[in-house]
């Protein structure tokens, strides 16, 4: 086990961890140190390399180069020891459809070597925690998407792992179900080391102690949500709600301002110095009907745009 | 035994899938009755007597079991359930056993259905029923192990397609209702190289009274394939565990 400069123990350390698929570099030499008990988020768009990184840390993918340790065990040299102390809730709802919720938990507890009594006790607690206690005896193929996700997370917790990997735990869920799962994850904060991958910036912002922004396999920024936002604190963001915004006007703005992002009802313009009059004088003669303008605090989406030139949802 | 939990899960999933169960039992039972009726209609000695049909239809049923076992494993791979299971501290041998063992009761059930319906249709068995059962049991396990290989190599649709090709191969070249020796040439060569015809021949001879020494070559041929398929499946699981 390694220690940080302030005495914190590192649960996970990666050393130039890389993975290629043919010519495609999915993960490109990432170096991370995740503290024990930390909820650490890998935030990035689809295809950024988040799941590939998780799969390597779970010993499901062999790194092309570099390595990593999980609680001091090397993923390359001692994968069985790593598997003893981790569990994962994969991106897809990886559950046995013809089993009921109770049996799914028993399956995972059993293959991880837990005694029957312990599995029973843990399952009761977890089913209660994720709100499925009353549906425990139903075959899970009848469950909604949100219920399956909640069960998937419970399955990852049944063995009480030291390190928990949650790969896009709320992918494709409605906002209400997503918030429900956030509450369950928030309950685990500080109790175990959690690595959460997501492309929902609100999720990382709400849950993570620290965030690594990953793009094209590389870590482009690392810090607490506030640190990341502060890193562009000298940036002003103007929200312009407007009608009739033709593409050539947006392209014209992009030539003037470093960051221009389209939204459902207008645009957001980011720059170190913004002049309300300049923007209005640019838009009005081009037939744009401005409804309102306002300034806002930078978000993680703005941080991502600033660092990569791309929107997180692209 | 950690793998037992996974084996129990796979067994439960099989039992709770009505389509799976229906076809596994219905296919051998239905085919046996249909071909027996055909034989009666044709009259005289033919391949369609119960002694000839029972082992053949049992092996034909195993080909469907092969396809279903392949599809179950493929489905777990596609749903990422297998990825989740592979993060558990289990060895490749544990995985192949936990996916194969649940099918053995089904193999036994299929053999029992074939013999049971055969008996209802007038099957006479002067020979060694136990030996015939043993040959068919090994052939059933061999089919399941081949299913594991398909399940590890192909997705659900591909496994279904390749499984259908194997079912056709068994039907045409297994010697169930056609004498492949009489066909001769390359077809006989292929049929004779595969384990299916050996299993059917050995079981038929055992049923009419041949001893183990008479069918030893056929039996070891089938057993050899079973061992090779098991070893290859274990190797493929190892490969799937860390890609």
């Amino acid at each position: 086990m390694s220690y940080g400069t302030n005495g914190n123990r590192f649960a996970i350390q990666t050393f130039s961890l890389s993975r290629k698929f043919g010519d495609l570099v999915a993960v490109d030499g990432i170096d991370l140190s995740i503290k024990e008990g930390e909820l650490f988020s890998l935030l990035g768009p689809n295809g950024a390399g988040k799941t590939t990184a998780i799969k390597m840390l779970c010993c499901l993918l062999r790194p092309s180069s570099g390595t990593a340790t999980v609680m001091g065990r090397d993923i390359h040299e001692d994968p069985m020891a790593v598997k003893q102390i981790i569990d994962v809730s994969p991106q897809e709802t990886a559950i046995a459809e013809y089993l009921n919720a109770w049996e799914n938990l028993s399956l995972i507890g059993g293959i991880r070597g837990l005694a029957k009594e312990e599995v029973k006790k843990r399952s009761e607690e977890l089913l209660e925690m994720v709100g499925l206690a009353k549906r425990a005896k139903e075959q899970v193929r009848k469950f909604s998407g949100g219920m399956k996700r909640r069960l998937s997370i419970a399955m990852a917790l049944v063995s009480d792992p030291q390190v928990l990997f949650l790969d896009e735990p709320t992918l494709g869920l409605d906002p209400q179900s997503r918030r429900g799962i956030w509450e369950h994850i928030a309950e685990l904060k500080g109790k175990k080391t959690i690595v959460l991958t997501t492309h929902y910036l609100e999720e990382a912002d709400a849950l993570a102690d620290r965030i690594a922004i990953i793009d094209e396999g590389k870590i482009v920024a690392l810090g607490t949500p506030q640190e990341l936002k502060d890193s562009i604190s000298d940036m002003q963001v103007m929200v312009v709600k407007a009608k009739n915004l033709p593409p050539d006007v947006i392209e014209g703005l992009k030539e003037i301002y470093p960051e221009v992002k389209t939204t459902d009802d207008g645009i957001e313009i980011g720059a170190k110095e913004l002049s309300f009059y300049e923007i209005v004088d640019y838009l009005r003669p081009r037939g744009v009907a401005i409804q309102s303008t306002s300034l806002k605090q930078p978000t993680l989406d703005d941080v991502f745009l600033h660092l990569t030139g791309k929107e997180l949802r692209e | 035994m950690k793998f037992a939990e996974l084996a129990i899960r796979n067994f439960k999933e099989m039992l709770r899938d009505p389509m799976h169960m229906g076809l596994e039992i219905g296919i051998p039972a239905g085919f046996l009755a249909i071909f027996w009726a055909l034989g009666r209609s044709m009259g005289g000695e033919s391949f369609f007597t119960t002694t000839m049909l029972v082992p053949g239809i049992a092996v034909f049923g195993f080909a469907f079991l092969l396809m279903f076992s392949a599809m179950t494993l493929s489905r777990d791979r596609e749903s990422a359930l297998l990825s989740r299971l592979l993060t558990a501290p289990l060895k490749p041998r544990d995985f192949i056993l936990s996916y194969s063992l649940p099918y053995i009761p089904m193999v036994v059930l299929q053999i029992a259905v074939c013999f049971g319906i055969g008996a209802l249709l007038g099957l006479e068995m002067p020979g060694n029923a136990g030996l015939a059962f043993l040959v068919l049991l090994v052939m059933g396990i061999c089919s399941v192990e081949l299913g594991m290989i398909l399940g590890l190599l192909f997705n659900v649709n591909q496994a279904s397609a390749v499984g259908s090709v194997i079912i056709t191969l068994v039907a045409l070249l297994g010697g169930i209702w056609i004498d492949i020796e009489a066909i001769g040439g390359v077809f006989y060569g292929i049929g004779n190289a595969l384990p299916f015809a050996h299993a059917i021949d050995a079981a038929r001879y055992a049923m009419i009274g041949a001893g183990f020494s008479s069918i030893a070559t056929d039996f070891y041929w089938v057993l050899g394939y079973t061992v090779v398929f098991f070893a290859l499946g274990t190797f493929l699981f190892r490969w799937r565990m860390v890609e």
Side-chain angles (χ1 to χ4, degrees):
Chain A
M1 182 85 69
S2 300
Y3 292 82
T5 49
N6 55 359
N8 282 323
R9 298 202 302 176
F10 290 129
I12 297 172
Q13 284 190 291
T14 69
F15 306 94
S16 302
L17 191 66
S18 301
R19 173 69 195 208
K20 287 181 185 172
F21 296 100
D23 293 334
L24 176 76
V25 183
V27 173
D28 192 1
I30 62 174
D31 292 294
L32 285 174
S33 295
I34 300 172
K35 286 173 264 184
E36 207 178 335
E38 190 173 27
L39 199 160
F40 188 90
S41 178
L42 282 171
L43 175 69
N46 293 330
K50 307 183 298 291
T51 298
T52 303
I54 291 272
K55 282 188 170 179
M56 286 191 283
L57 293 172
C58 292
C59 309
L60 290 174
L61 267 179
R62 194 171 281 125
S64 302
S65 61
T67 191
T69 58
V70 179
M71 303 303 282
R73 285 95 162 166
D74 193 293
I75 58 165
H76 219 49
E77 290 169 8
D78 204 356
M80 278 296 175
V82 173
K83 288 179 178 187
Q84 296 277 4
I85 53 168
I86 64 162
D87 211 329
V88 61
S89 175
Q91 195 175 115
E92 303 89 345
T93 44
I95 53 181
E97 297 275 342
Y98 280 97
L99 299 188
N100 63 37
W102 183 270
E103 288 168 333
N104 266 284
L105 292 170
S106 298
L107 166 67
I108 300 300
I111 64 169
R112 290 196 166 273
L114 269 66
K116 280 211 179 320
E117 276 308 305
E118 197 180 350
V119 174
K120 186 169 178 289
K121 184 169 165 285
R122 294 277 306 153
S123 299
E124 280 170 1
E125 287 168 7
L126 288 166
L127 286 167
E128 199 64 50
M129 181 189 119
V130 297
L132 291 173
K134 287 181 182 159
R135 310 279 302 265
K137 296 287 169 71
E138 279 180 44
Q139 280 187 19
V140 298
R141 65 200 169 104
K142 295 171 189 161
F143 281 13
S144 68
M147 289 163 74
K148 287 179 180 178
R149 288 273 174 194
R150 272 148 47 203
L151 175 62
S152 183
I153 292 172
M155 286 165 75
L157 287 167
V158 75
S159 67
D160 196 18
Q162 292 180 47
V163 179
L164 175 64
F165 295 95
L166 299 174
D167 193 6
E168 299 274 10
T170 62
L171 185 69
L173 294 184
D174 59 82
Q176 193 183 353
S177 302
R178 190 179 302 163
R179 289 201 176 272
I181 286 179
W182 288 4
E183 285 173 20
H184 299 314
I185 296 171
E187 283 178 35
L188 302 170
K189 272 186 81 164
K191 294 176 186 165
K192 52 184 78 256
T193 308
I194 301 173
V195 180
L196 168 85
T197 76
T198 183
H199 69 278
Y200 296 122
L201 58 99
E202 310 89 345
E203 191 161 289
D205 202 0
L207 295 171
D209 296 315
R210 281 193 308 151
I211 296 169
I213 295 179
I214 183 167
D215 185 43
E216 294 179 2
K218 290 182 175 156
I219 302 293
V220 293
L222 176 66
T224 64
Q226 196 55 51
E227 283 169 354
L228 292 173
K229 289 176 211 168
D230 289 346
S231 70
I232 58 164
S233 59
D234 57 344
M235 177 88 72
Q236 293 181 307
V237 180
M238 181 173 284
V239 181
V240 180
K241 289 188 179 174
K243 287 180 178 170
N244 309 329
L245 262 168
D248 60 313
V249 171
I250 295 170
E251 287 307 310
L253 284 167
K254 283 182 178 175
E255 287 173 17
I256 305 167
Y257 301 102
E259 282 154 33
V260 177
K261 185 169 72 178
T262 53
T263 60
D264 290 342
D265 53 2
I267 46 173
E268 290 182 13
I269 301 167
K272 286 194 173 171
E273 284 182 17
L274 281 175
S275 160
F276 166 78
Y277 296 106
E278 266 181 31
I279 292 171
V280 171
D281 285 348
Y282 182 85
L283 292 174
R284 276 207 174 135
R286 287 168 176 80
V288 177
I290 299 171
Q291 294 174 317
S292 68
T293 62
S294 57
L295 284 170
K296 70 160 198 173
Q297 291 294 315
T299 64
L300 287 176
D301 209 12
D302 299 314
V303 176
F304 191 82
L305 180 66
H306 177 71
L307 292 167
T308 67
K310 293 184 285 191
E311 287 178 49
L312 195 53
R313 290 188 177 83
E314 276 178 4
Chain B
M1 288 197 293
K2 294 174 187 171
F3 78 88
E5 288 293 334
L6 184 54
I8 291 166
R9 171 263 167 177
N10 289 332
F11 187 63
K12 282 181 183 169
E13 289 248 339
M14 182 174 65
L15 289 182
R16 290 174 187 179
D17 183 350
M19 174 97 151
H20 195 141
M21 286 299 289
L23 287 174
E24 289 302 337
I25 304 302
I27 284 171
F31 270 72
L32 192 53
I34 290 166
F35 281 99
W36 172 80
L38 272 175
R40 296 259 298 181
S41 179
M42 288 158 70
E45 288 297 314
S46 76
F47 262 75
F48 300 164
T49 60
T50 46
T51 309
M52 297 294 273
L53 281 173
V54 164
I57 298 292
V59 172
F60 188 58
F62 299 155
F64 284 88
L65 200 60
L66 178 161
M67 184 172 74
F68 283 121
S69 62
M71 288 168 69
T72 301
L73 185 49
S74 293
R75 199 173 295 119
D76 279 358
R77 278 178 45 225
E78 285 183 12
S79 73
L81 178 63
L82 191 61
S83 287
R84 159 171 256 152
L85 299 173
L86 289 175
T87 63
L90 295 180
K91 296 192 167 82
R93 191 188 58 238
D94 296 330
F95 279 107
I96 195 107
L97 283 174
S98 53
Y99 272 91
S100 307
L101 289 177
Y103 287 95
I104 293 178
M106 184 57 84
V107 168
V108 172
L109 185 61
Q110 280 194 334
I111 297 170
V113 165
C114 287
F115 277 103
I117 292 179
L120 289 174
L121 300 176
L123 173 69
E124 288 173 6
M125 202 161 25
N128 188 339
L131 187 56
F133 174 82
L134 176 68
V135 172
L136 292 174
L137 179 66
V138 174
M139 185 63 240
I141 295 169
C142 181
S143 301
V144 172
E145 296 309 329
L146 180 55
M148 296 295 103
I149 292 169
L150 301 190
L152 286 163
L153 289 176
F154 302 112
N155 64 33
V156 177
N157 291 335
Q158 291 166 337
S160 165
V162 177
S164 301
V165 170
I166 292 173
I167 290 168
T168 311
L169 265 178
V170 174
L172 293 176
L173 303 175
I176 303 170
W177 33 67
I178 310 168
D179 182 2
I180 58 167
E181 214 167 334
I183 299 171
V186 69
F187 293 107
Y188 172 67
I190 295 170
N192 197 42
L194 296 171
F196 310 105
H198 289 275
I200 294 169
D201 270 355
R204 281 172 179 162
Y205 279 112
M207 283 165 67
I208 58 171
F212 182 77
S213 58
S214 307
I215 63 162
T217 308
D218 288 321
F219 178 78
Y220 287 127
W221 194 268
V222 178
L223 188 64
Y225 264 99
T226 309
V227 172
V228 168
F229 287 157
F230 180 80
L232 192 54
T234 307
F235 170 79
L236 288 173
F237 250 113
R238 192 183 307 277
W239 167 65
R240 281 283 179 209
M241 281 176 84
V242 190
E243 290 180 39

